[in-house]
Amino acid sequence: TCSIRDAGQVICDSVLLGAGSPRRPGIGQLNILAGGELTTGEIRQINRLRAQGTLFLDGGTLRAGAASADFISGLDAFLIGSRGGTIDTGPFDVVVGITISSPSGQGVAEIPVLDGGHGFIAPPQITLSGGEGNGASASAELRDGTVTSVTVTNPGHDYRSPPMVKVSVEDRGFRAGTPVLTPTDSGGLTKLGPGTLHLAAPCHIEGALTIRSGTLRTGSLFVGGSGGLVIDPGGVWTGSGIVEGNVTAPSGSSISPDPDGGVSVGKDMSLTGALSIDPSNVTGLFLKVTGQLTLGGGTLALEAPLLPEHGNSLVLIQYGTLEGRFSENQPLPSGWTLDYQFNGQNQIALIRDSR
């Protein structure tokens, strides 16, 4: 287990979890905690079948050191803790190819110190085992040769009973109490940097997914969590997939759905930024909003000319309920207009003006 925290900074070309040996692959766990920063070109696992690798992002920042189609790949788990986390792409384009999840069940919240012991030269190593769960880790805090506290660096998940606490040095009088369990949860994930973060797999977290800068690209397998998606001014969401929660796209932000798949929103969407459509998909329907779609004067732009195959109409958006309109100053193709209830249904379509 490696934990980066408290203003700790690590810069490396690659992180390999679960190395061990060919005969005995290891169990690798990387915790990036509050105040910790890791800059790397990739994080991967040596042997998916026999080794174990977990990345736990809980308040820390993961920075891309290079462009990579396998920035995070092959791990058993990529978990977001209660304090959330940040991925800073910098100027690079990187791909996360595995599911990002929230911890489940119960985790370790606290480990009391019954007796701090004496004579320690360095903090003893704390190991947690049993309890039918996985992933919990902790480190001892030392002062004047005595353990003053134990910091939980990863609460783990799915514990049914408190795990056992073992210490690497047993002849110094240190005694830990029974670990306290609590239900696990997760915060949000923030995307920073002018580059592109491509999430090719689902992101099942409880907090919001926030695009502070640059581009977030989601693939057809992407399913965003109940925390929804927030796109800050200057941020771009492109690609396909589903966001189960609300989506907020204020003025200065942009959404550009893939023509082949489009994007879906499970709840409500506020769109006062820009919606950019590539009309090369002649069947249409680029954005689907299950709940209320609020248009606060945002802009609609076409990335390419309409095709003869579009005929007299192209459906752009399907919604549950609608409030507002796009800006009246739209650069629509000559002879076309917007119908906000196309064919009497909850659809917004481009239609050929018959006048």
Side-chain angles (χ1 to χ4, degrees):
T1 298
C2 174
S3 297
I4 307 172
R5 59 188 177 103
D6 299 337
Q9 297 183 355
V10 176
I11 301 175
C12 58
D13 292 334
S14 177
V15 175
L16 185 63
L17 298 180
S21 65
R23 292 183 127 189
R24 189 177 179 183
I27 299 175
Q29 181 169 289
L30 174 61
N31 304 318
I32 309 176
L33 310 178
E37 298 180 2
L38 170 65
T39 301
T40 186
E42 64 172 358
I43 301 176
R44 60 189 178 88
Q45 188 169 315
I46 186 172
N47 184 329
R48 186 67 188 270
L49 296 178
R50 300 179 61 193
Q52 296 181 28
T54 299
L55 172 62
F56 182 59
L57 188 56
D58 188 25
T61 298
L62 174 60
R63 287 195 171 91
S68 176
D70 296 300
F71 183 52
I72 303 175
S73 64
L75 304 184
D76 289 302
F78 179 5
L79 304 175
I80 303 295
S82 61
R83 292 176 290 188
T86 297
I87 297 180
D88 186 345
T89 61
F92 304 114
D93 295 348
V94 297
V95 179
V96 176
I98 61 172
T99 298
I100 305 173
S101 303
S102 301
S104 56
Q106 294 194 105
V108 176
E110 179 185 354
I111 301 176
V113 175
L114 302 182
D115 190 328
H118 57 86
F120 288 104
I121 299 175
Q125 182 178 343
I126 304 294
T127 304
L128 302 173
S129 62
E132 300 183 60
N134 290 286
S137 61
S139 62
E141 309 298 330
L142 200 63
R143 181 187 300 172
D144 298 330
T146 297
V147 176
T148 56
S149 63
V150 174
T151 298
V152 177
T153 53
N154 188 331
H157 54 89
D158 296 314
Y159 284 95
R160 296 189 177 184
S161 60
M164 294 179 56
V165 180
K166 297 181 180 180
V167 62
S168 57
V169 181
E170 298 180 351
D171 59 350
R172 295 287 188 270
F174 169 77
R175 289 192 304 121
T178 301
V180 177
L181 299 182
T182 189
T184 59
D185 61 358
S186 71
L189 178 61
T190 299
K191 191 271 177 208
L192 292 179
T196 298
L197 173 62
H198 182 181
L199 300 183
C203 180
H204 295 302
I205 59 176
E206 298 169 13
L209 182 58
T210 301
I211 309 171
R212 286 281 167 81
S213 56
T215 299
L216 173 70
R217 165 168 284 279
T218 54
S220 60
L221 299 179
F222 175 80
V223 179
S226 58
L229 174 65
V230 177
I231 311 169
D232 285 355
V236 178
W237 176 29
T238 185
S240 54
I242 301 169
V243 174
E244 295 177 340
N246 299 321
V247 173
T248 303
S251 177
S253 67
S254 179
I255 298 176
S256 180
D258 276 351
D260 294 333
V263 293
S264 297
V265 179
K267 292 185 179 179
D268 301 333
M269 181 175 188
S270 173
L271 175 58
T272 55
L275 177 63
S276 183
I277 297 295
D278 178 355
S280 59
N281 179 3
V282 297
T283 61
L285 193 53
F286 303 90
L287 171 62
K288 181 179 180 181
V289 180
T290 301
Q292 177 169 295
L293 171 62
T294 301
L295 298 174
T299 60
L300 173 67
L302 297 182
E303 298 177 0
L306 292 172
L307 304 173
E309 291 89 339
H310 290 126
N312 294 321
S313 64
L314 177 64
V315 177
L316 305 178
I317 303 172
Q318 179 179 309
Y319 57 85
T321 59
L322 178 64
E323 180 178 325
R325 295 289 189 270
F326 284 108
S327 170
E328 294 182 0
N329 300 318
Q330 296 296 327
L332 299 180
S334 177
W336 292 75
T337 187
L338 283 173
D339 186 340
Y340 287 89
Q341 200 166 17
F342 180 62
N343 283 341
Q345 301 181 36
N346 293 353
Q347 295 180 334
I348 300 175
L350 275 171
I351 60 171
R352 194 184 296 274
D353 195 337
S354 59
R355 292 176 296 176

